[in-house]
C-alpha cells in the first residue's frame, strides 16, 4: 500500500502531503508525481536534484504542453491512449488538463471511445490499474484488497465485464470501464481520485474470440455461474464491508441475469448502486420530465414503448414507474402505461423466458388477441401501430431499429413525439437524430445515449441532448460521500432526477436540448449532490450529524486538481 497522507495545518489553514516516498519512486507514482512542478526545496528534500530539467513549471504551464501533445494525435483512440498514459504518470496533471477541456476530452476517456479501448485491452495493455480478483483467488480477497495502492477508500467501482456498453461480454477488457467511471467521478463530481478503487471480478468469459486469443489476459475459460458465482460475489461484498464499511459500492456492466439480482441482494447491506439500472434510469427520467414540460403532457398520460428490456431498459422503466406513482398512479396503473419489447418480442405473461425485472411489465395475452398478428413474436412495428405510443425508448443495441415507418407512425398521432435512441456506442444507435427530425418534420423531442453533432433543420441548428450517465452518477456519489449515507434510497434517486431536470436548457426554449451540456458537468453534479444529500439527511440515512448545510458539506469535500506542498517523513 502506498504511504502518503493529506494533512491540514490548523495554524496556516493550508493543506499539504506527507510521504516518505522519494527519488525515482516518487517520480513514478502517479498519485504523488508533480514532474517539473516540484519546487527547488522539494527537489532537495526528496532526492530529486538532477532528475528533472532545471526549470520549475506551474501546473498551468504543464497543462498547455499536454494539450499540444494531445492535439497532435489524429485518432481518438490514440488520444485515449495518450490521456491514459498521462494518468499513469501524473494524476493531478491529467485531471487538470481534462477539467480545462471537459467537453472535448470526456468522450475520449469515457463513452464512446472507451468501448474501442475495451475491445483492444489485452493487445494495448500497458499499465495495471486497480485490483483484479479472479474467482480462483476467492479465499485471498482480503489479501488482495490489502494490496491496493490508495490507503483510504471512499468509492469502489466494480465489474465482471459481461455486459459492457452495447458490445457485450468483453472479459478482462471490462476493467477499462471502472477506471473510466472513476475518472468521471473525479472530473465531474469532485471525488478525490486517491480515495477510489476500480475492481475487476474475473469469472471467465463466454466470448469465444477472446478465449481463442493467445494474448487474452483474463481467466481463459467460460464464465462460472449459479451458486459458484454467487458465493464469489458474496465473499467480495463481505470483504468490502469489512475493509471499507463506509464506502460507496458502484456495480457496472454486469450481465442481465446478474445485475438486478445482485443489486437487490445487497442494497440493504451497504450503500450500493448499479449505474446501468439506476443511473441510466435516473438520467433518462430527467430528460423525460423535461420533454413532458415542453410538450405540455403529464408523464402519467403517456404511453411508453421500450425496445430492449435488459438491465438498462427495465431500470429506466422502473424509474419512470416510481415517478408515476409519485404523481398519483398506483404501481399497477403505472405498469399498464408500458409496453416492453425484448428478443422474444413484446413481453407477454406466462413467457418462461421472462426475467424477474421483466415480469411486472408483461402484458396479458388477451390484450393483443385483437391485433390479429400471425407471428408468435409481436414486433416493435406491430406494437407502435396498435398502441400509438407518445414515448419510444431504445436500449436494444440494434442499429437502425427505429425505422422511418415506425417514426412516421408516431409523428402521425403526436404533436411532439418523445424519441430516445439510447444505445451506445453510436454505431449501435436505434436511429440517427438527423433522420428522426426529418421523418417527424422537426417535431420530435430527442435524447441519445451517445454524443451526436448538432443537426441543421429548417434553418435551425438543433443541439441533441445526450442521456449521459455522467450527468447524474457523479452527483449521486458526491452527495452520498458528503453526508456518509448508509444507503441509497429511491427517494434519493428521484431527487437526483428532479434536480437534473430543473437544469434542462429546454425550460427556456423548447428547441434547446433536454439535458445540460457535459461542459457544465461540475455545476450539474453539485446541484444533484445537494438534492441527494438533503434527502439523506431528512430521512435519517446520513451519518454526518452537523449544523452545516448540504451545500457547505459538498463544497468542503469537493476535490479539485492542484499541487499541494510536500513534506518528507520517515518510513
Amino acid at each position: 500500500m502506498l504511504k502518503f497522507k493529506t494533512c491540514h495545518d490548523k495554524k496556516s489553514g493550508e493543506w499539504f502531503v506527507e510521504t516518505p516516498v522519494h527519488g525515482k519512486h516518487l517520480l513514478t507514482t502517479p498519485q504523488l508525481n508533480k514532474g517539473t512542478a516540484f519546487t527547488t526545496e522539494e527537489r532537495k528534500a526528496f532526492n530529486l536534484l538532477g532528475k528533472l530539467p532545471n526549470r520549475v513549471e506551474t501546473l498551468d504551464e504543464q497543462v498547455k504542453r499536454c494539450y499540444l501533445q494531445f492535439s497532435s494525435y489524429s485518432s481518438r483512440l490514440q488520444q485515449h491512449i495518450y490521456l491514459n498514459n498521462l494518468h499513469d504518470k501524473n494524476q493531478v496533471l491529467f485531471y487538470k488538463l481534462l477539467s480545462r477541456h471537459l467537453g472535448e476530452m470526456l468522450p475520449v476517456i469515457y463513452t464512446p471511445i472507451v468501448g474501442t479501448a475495451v475491445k483492444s485491452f489485452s493487445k494495448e495493455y500497458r499499465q495495471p490499474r486497480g485490483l483484479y480478483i479472479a474467482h480462483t483467488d476467492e479465499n485471498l480477497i482480503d489479501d488482495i484488497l490489502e494490496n491496493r495502492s490508495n490507503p483510504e477508500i471512499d468509492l469502489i467501482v466494480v465489474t465482471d465485464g459481461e455486459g459492457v456498453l452495447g458490445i457485450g461480454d468483453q472479459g478482462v477488457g471490462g476493467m477499462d470501464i471502472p477506471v473510466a467511471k472513476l475518472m468521471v467521478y473525479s472530473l465531474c463530481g469532485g471525488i478525490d481520485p486517491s480515495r477510489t478503487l476500480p475492481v475487476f471480478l474475473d469469472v471467465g468469459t463466454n466470448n469465444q474470440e477472446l478465449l481463442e486469443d493467445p494474448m487474452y489476459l483474463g481467466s481463459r475459460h467460460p464464465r462460472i455461474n449459479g451458486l459458484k458465482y454467487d458465493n464469489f460475489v458474496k465473499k467480495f461484498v463481505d470483504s468490502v464491508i469489512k475493509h471499507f464499511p463506509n464506502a460507496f459500492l458502484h456495480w457496472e456492466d454486469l450481465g442481465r441475469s446478474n445485475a438486478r439480482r445482485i443489486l437487490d441482494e445487497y442494497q440493504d447491506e451497504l450503500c450500493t448502486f448499479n449505474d446501468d439500472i439506476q443511473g441510466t434510469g435516473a438520467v433518462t427520467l430527467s430528460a423525460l420530465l423535461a420533454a413532458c414540460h415542453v410538450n405540455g403532457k403529464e408523464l402519467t398520460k403517456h404511453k411508453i414503448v421500450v425496445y430492449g428490456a435488459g438491465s438498462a431498459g427495465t431500470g429506466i422503466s422502473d424509474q419512470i414507474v416510481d415517478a408515476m406513482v409519485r404523481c398519483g398512479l398506483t404501481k399497477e396503473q403505472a405498469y399498464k402505461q408500458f409496453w416492453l419489447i425484448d428478443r422474444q418480442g413484446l413481453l407477454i405473461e406466462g413467457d418462461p423466458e421472462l426475467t424477474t425485472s421483466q415480469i411486472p411489465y408483461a402484458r396479458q395475452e388477451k390484450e393483443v388477441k385483437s391485433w390479429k398478428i400471425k407471428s408468435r413474436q409481436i414486433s416493435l412495428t406491430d406494437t407502435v401501430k396498435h398502441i400509438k405510443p407518445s414515448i419510444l425508448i431504445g436500449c436494444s443495441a440494434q442499429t437502425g431499429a427505429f425505422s422511418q415507418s415506425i417514426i412516421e407512425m408516431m409523428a402521425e398521432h403526436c404533436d411532439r413525439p418523445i424519441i430516445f435512441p439510447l444505445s451506445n456506442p453510436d454505431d449501435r444507435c436505434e436511429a440517427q437524430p438527423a433522420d428522426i427530425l426529418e421523418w417527424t418534420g422537426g417535431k420530435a423531442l430527442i435524447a441519445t445515449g451517445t454524443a451526436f453533432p448538432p443537426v441543421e433543420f429548417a434553418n435551425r441548428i438543433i443541439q441533441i441532448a445526450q442521456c449521459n450517465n455522467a450527468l447524474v452518477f457523479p452527483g449521486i456519489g458526491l452527495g452520498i460521500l458528503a453526508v456518509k449515507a448508509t444507503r441509497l434510497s429511491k427517494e434519493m434517486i428521484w431527487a437526483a432526477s428532479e434536480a437534473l431536470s430543473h437544469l434542462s436548457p429546454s425550460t427556456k426554449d423548447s428547441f434547446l436540448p433536454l439535458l445540460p451540456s457535459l461542459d457544465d458537468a461540475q455545476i450539474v453534479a453539485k446541484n444533484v449532490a445537494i438534492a441527494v444529500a438533503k434527502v439523506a439527511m431528512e430521512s435519517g440515512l446520513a451519518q454526518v450529524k452537523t449544523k452545516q448545510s448540504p451545500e457547505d458539506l459538498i463544497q468542503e469535500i469537493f476535490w479539485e486538481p492542484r499541487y499541494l506542498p510536500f513534506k518528507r517523513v520517515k518510513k
Side-chain angles (χ1 to χ4, degrees), residues 437-488:
L437 286 170
E438 182 181 340
W439 298 335
T440 62
K443 298 192 299 181
L445 295 164
I446 304 170
T448 57
T450 192
F452 279 91
V455 176
E456 185 176 352
F457 184 85
N459 297 319
R460 275 182 176 269
I461 300 296
I462 299 176
Q463 302 283 340
I464 305 299
Q466 185 187 2
C467 265
N468 194 318
N469 292 19
L471 291 170
V472 73
F473 72 78
I476 290 175
L478 177 61
I480 283 171
L481 297 185
V483 298
K484 292 185 168 57
T486 56
R487 300 290 182 270
L488 173 62

Side-chain angles (χ1 to χ4, degrees), residues 268-326:
D268 293 327
E269 290 190 29
L270 75 167
C271 194
T272 192
F273 168 76
N274 186 304
D275 190 43
D276 304 302
I277 297 171
Q278 295 161 300
T280 303
V283 74
T284 305
L285 174 58
S286 297
L288 283 179
L289 292 174
C292 291
H293 176 82
V294 171
N295 70 13
K297 186 175 181 179
E298 294 177 17
L299 181 63
T300 55
K301 305 296 184 184
H302 285 276
K303 292 181 177 180
I304 303 171
V305 170
V306 180
Y307 187 63
S311 298
T314 55
I316 289 167
S317 301
D318 288 348
Q319 295 290 340
I320 302 170
V321 165
D322 286 345
M324 287 181 167
V325 170
R326 290 177 190 280

Side-chain angles (χ1 to χ4, degrees), residues 27 35-40 43 48-57 62 65:
L27 295 177
T36 54
F38 279 112
T39 65
T40 302
R43 296 182 189 201
L48 298 177
L49 286 175
K51 291 186 176 292
L52 293 163
N54 185 63
R55 183 180 166 196
V56 176
E57 289 190 302
Q62 290 178 319
R65 178 183 296 106

Side-chain angles (χ1 to χ4, degrees), residues 1 131 140-149 243-244:
M1 192 184 301
L131 295 176
L140 300 172
I141 295 176
D142 285 342
D143 295 334
I144 292 172
L145 291 181
E146 287 290 349
N147 287 338
R148 66 190 184 276
S149 296
H243 289 269
F244 320 112

